[in-house]
Amino acid sequence: MRESARKRQARITDLVESRGIARITDLADELGVSVVTVRRDVEELARRGEVRRGHGVARSLQPRAPESTATGDTVGMVIPERNTYLTEAVQAAREVAEKAGLRLALHIAADEPDAERTAVRSALEAGARGLVLSPHWRTAAEAARDHSWLRALDVPVVLMERRPERGSSLYELDCVRSDHGYGVHLALGHLTSLGHRRIVLAARDDSPTARVIRSEFAEQTAARGIAEGCPTILSSRTAGPDPRADDARAADLAETLRRAGATAALIHGDMEALVLVQRLREAGVEVPRDCSVVAYNDVVADMGQIALTAVAPPKAEVGRAALGLLLRQLDHAREGRWPGAARHLELLPGLVARDSTVPLA
């Protein structure tokens, strides 16, 4: 004889209280009923205030010691070391995970060969049921070398601020990134609306984002008919693919401005922008009187002696979207369903106008 719904719900409450958190699928297996039945029971218990609902889990209302979070309901995130740009994305992803009853474990990939692979192995050995990855990929060749082992991972994977080339073995993975081409469009549109036609790009060249910014700057200045007066330099001698070696493409920004007759600069990223604005001042070039400046990233752009106008990618939204894509995959895997077509999401940056850009005199 099948037990009553009330008795089954009481058993669910006891199990959840004893564990602190329990997956819907595990409860269904133990009770010998369907996932749908348990989900409805948990909804009813949550309505009565006896448990809390999470994403695919039921959680106890009783406070528990921190060590009880080691329940296997963990997802991993792997990001490069010294990457302040991703801080907001990590925090936002953590909030989404916690609301879903999951713990987000952060793994930092050191700036050395095969670091991502080591960090991923560590995350999986620690019990991560899914991964959000933001590989450094200093060069396209480095990205290509990672494809085979990344494709072989047997847990759900989402790429964050990365999108593989069409036709690559990773192209069918879920991914979310900022539309950095649109970010360059915003910067150029802002500067040209102020009358600037000769604009220097001082950019990094050690990540997929940097490569997009550089290529889009070349294409978009050409489309506007101003490419001849818009040179590109490396933002520092260590901003190239090999940070241990001085890169000959680095050039003095003040001298480049004078040589090109430029009146504005787009600088990727914020830290480089703050340093270069100081160096311009030391060279007698005042911002914005002599040179309007737009920074790219908007992490610390407003914290220098002069608040910098900046392209602001939607960093927190990227983190939330990445976790959302991962939760979707975990849900479908838990219920034995095909997750459907892969998602490639691009979120649009904004532009925050501050004190470093003025109309051309």
Side-chain angles (χ1 to χ4, degrees):
M1 182 175 178
R2 296 179 63 184
E3 66 181 347
S4 67
R6 180 68 68 171
K7 185 177 294 186
R8 185 177 62 246
Q9 290 167 8
R11 291 179 63 195
I12 290 173
T13 301
D14 290 342
L15 289 169
V16 171
E17 286 185 354
S18 67
R19 300 172 186 175
I21 184 170
R23 286 184 287 190
I24 301 296
T25 49
D26 292 342
L27 292 170
D29 288 342
E30 292 179 49
L31 299 174
V33 295
S34 71
V35 169
V36 172
T37 296
V38 174
R39 187 179 292 118
R40 289 173 180 165
D41 285 341
V42 169
E43 289 174 355
E44 174 61 21
L45 290 167
R47 188 187 64 79
R48 299 203 304 255
E50 297 181 33
V51 300
R52 279 190 296 160
R53 289 179 59 202
H55 194 92
V57 299
R59 303 178 71 178
S60 172
L61 299 178
Q62 303 301 316
R64 299 181 65 84
E67 61 267 25
S68 68
T69 59
T71 63
D73 281 313
T74 301
V75 292
M77 177 178 282
V78 176
I79 65 171
E81 66 175 329
R82 295 191 295 273
N83 194 317
T84 56
Y85 171 81
L86 291 174
T87 301
E88 287 184 49
V90 171
Q91 293 294 345
R94 179 183 182 180
E95 292 171 5
V96 173
E98 289 179 345
K99 288 180 181 178
L102 298 172
R103 177 176 179 270
L104 178 65
L106 185 62
H107 297 262
I108 307 299
D111 194 3
E112 57 191 38
D114 292 324
E116 272 87 11
R117 192 168 188 172
T118 300
V120 166
R121 186 184 304 116
S122 175
L124 295 178
E125 289 174 351
R129 295 169 47 217
L131 297 169
V132 174
L133 306 179
S134 186
H136 203 139
W137 287 350
R138 286 185 172 277
T139 64
E142 183 179 296
R145 286 196 298 270
D146 282 350
H147 285 193
S148 59
W149 70 264
L150 282 174
R151 198 69 185 91
L153 293 175
D154 59 359
V155 297
V157 173
V158 175
L159 296 176
M160 182 172 71
E161 282 294 8
R162 302 289 183 260
R163 190 180 72 181
E165 294 296 323
R166 184 175 290 108
S168 78
S169 61
L170 299 185
Y171 194 69
E172 293 182 0
L173 291 181
D174 282 353
C175 62
V176 57
R177 71 171 183 176
S178 304
D179 185 344
H180 296 296
Y182 184 68
V184 173
H185 167 78
L186 289 176
L188 290 175
H190 177 67
L191 290 170
T192 57
S193 73
L194 296 174
H196 301 282
R197 294 292 183 272
R198 292 179 174 269
I199 304 163
V200 174
L201 171 65
R204 303 190 64 84
D205 190 16
D206 60 350
S207 71
T209 295
R211 291 192 286 276
V212 170
I213 290 171
R214 295 170 74 89
S215 64
E216 286 287 343
F217 183 82
E219 292 177 14
Q220 293 186 36
T221 52
R224 292 172 183 268
I226 59 174
E228 187 175 346
C230 297
T232 295
I233 64 173
L234 201 65
S235 55
S236 78
R237 290 193 176 278
T238 58
D242 185 354
R244 299 163 298 181
D246 284 352
D247 196 310
R249 294 174 298 164
D252 181 76
L253 179 56
E255 179 58 31
T256 303
L257 290 167
R258 293 191 183 102
R259 195 165 54 243
T263 59
L266 169 60
I267 305 176
H268 172 238
D270 282 5
M271 292 293 190
E272 288 80 0
L274 293 178
V275 170
L276 289 177
V277 166
Q278 178 61 36
R279 289 181 180 170
L280 287 177
R281 183 178 296 110
E282 293 167 356
V285 179
E286 290 295 328
V287 175
R289 184 194 67 192
D290 304 317
C291 177
S292 285
V293 170
V294 176
Y296 202 103
N297 281 349
D298 201 31
V299 177
V300 293
D302 62 342
M303 297 180 66
Q305 290 185 354
I306 181 169
L308 302 180
T309 294
V311 175
K315 299 173 282 292
E317 288 86 346
V318 166
R320 281 192 283 269
L323 242 293
L325 289 173
L326 186 61
L327 292 176
R328 170 180 167 272
Q329 290 192 50
L330 291 171
D331 267 355
H332 287 209
R334 189 181 296 124
E335 297 170 7
R337 294 187 291 130
W338 180 59
R343 267 66 167 168
H344 284 191
L345 304 183
E346 283 198 328
L347 307 183
L348 301 187
L351 184 134
V352 183
R354 299 192 180 100
D355 300 332
S356 63
T357 50
V358 294
L360 183 64

